[in-house]
Amino acid sequence: MRTETANKILTHIKEKDEISPHLLADYLEISHQAVHRQLKKLLSQNLIFKAGRPPKVTYSLKPMIIQNATIWASSNNAPHIPPNDIYCQTRDVFTGRADRLLADLQRHTQNDNLSFLLSSVVGEIGNNSFDHNLGNWRDIPGLYFTTDLSAHIMVLSDRGQGISATLKKIKPQIKDDEEALTTAFYEHLSGRAPEQRGNGLKFVKKIITENNWELEFRSGMALCVIKNNITNITKSNINIPGTLAIIKF
Amino acid sequence: MRIELQKFGKVLTSRPAGKEAWLVAQAYTLSDKKPNEKIEVDFTGVQVLTPSWADEFLTQLKKSYTKDVILLPSDNPTVKAALEIIEKE
């Protein structure tokens, strides 16, 4: 639930494209501390992003496809069924869309190898959702899959069991969502016994890192960010019961 | 014998597709294999390969015919990355 102040901040950032906390405080006529508290909350909700370093910090709105996917993925109750161009109820639908994405990427980037690599990352993340959640979706089955190639963003999300619940079946000692993500991105095991492999997210990490792209991967209360060749797994302020992956290339 | 993976598709990403390809290969291709005959796996024409598909097909192939499997070189970056990942096991 957003406060009136938070809504005013979002509206004003939208009007200005980007704005400093100082100008926001002046506009809203509230203290700098109050502005920073609100900005921190909005950052944690994946609605805005921060650029620059003090004293030249500015805030901008996150692209709508990221905001919408985050709201869909984090909703406590079953959200609406996404539009047909976003929703892949079954793997077959996802496979068809992933095949079309490859052709779109080739046209857009004019670079076959880059398109193949991006397509492999999308294929691995999207298929993981079906591999690990078939018959076990929380509410809405399938995958939320959308792209904005001109903004170089691709988003995938599911309302499945999440990484922690999946991995705990074969590694019960996992104590929280951060440890589960660490296991998924670094250790070789599979969440779907008796298959012995669980290399999907290690593969994704390798491709993202080697190509200097960015990945934001959320599951439960954990967040994995791969950026500038560095992988950082931290506690998140948003709960994503299934998974949410944002790829920037 | 040579198995041309592009005959299973140019985009090889999902586990079910890899599993199906493995079953088909066993039934219709590998059944003709002579003792000690080498199996060359040809990646020509494959655009996208993921570890999930490769695990269902190549890992099973290598388990079943340990000494006979030869993976032919490929310039495709997803083939290289997927093989590197599954071969770490």
Side-chain angles (χ1 to χ4, degrees), chain A residues 2 10 41-49 60-63 67 70-71:
Chain A
R2 285 203 296 271
L10 288 173
K41 272 189 207 165
L42 293 171
L43 276 172
S44 74
Q45 291 166 359
N46 224 11
L47 298 175
I48 59 172
F49 67 89
S60 308
L61 288 187
K62 284 228 171 168
Q67 290 191 39
T70 305
I71 291 167

Side-chain angles (χ1 to χ4, degrees), chain A residues 204-223:
Chain A
V204 167
K205 176 170 166 280
K206 174 182 164 62
I207 303 273
I208 296 279
T209 305
E210 286 178 358
N211 290 281
N212 206 16
W213 295 329
E214 287 178 35
L215 174 71
E216 186 182 308
F217 190 96
R218 295 172 184 272
S219 186
M221 295 297 292
L223 165 66

Side-chain angles (χ1 to χ4, degrees), chain A residues 137-158:
Chain A
W137 308 100
R138 279 171 198 275
D139 39 50
I140 296 179
L143 191 69
Y144 184 110
F145 172 39
T146 184
T147 64
D148 182 345
L149 298 188
S150 56
H152 295 213
I153 298 171
M154 303 193 283
V155 181
L156 301 102
S157 179
D158 68 63

Side-chain angles (χ1 to χ4, degrees), chain A residues 6 34 96 99 116 128 167 181:
Chain A
D99 284 352
F116 299 155
N128 264 355
L167 289 183
L181 273 199

Side-chain angles (χ1 to χ4, degrees), chain A residues 112-114 116-117 203 207, chain B residues 47 74-82:
Chain A
D112 282 350
N113 280 347
L114 185 147
F116 299 155
L117 287 164
F203 174 80
I207 303 273
Chain B
Q47 294 180 327
S74 167
D75 287 334
N76 181 289
T78 69
V79 171
K80 287 183 189 172

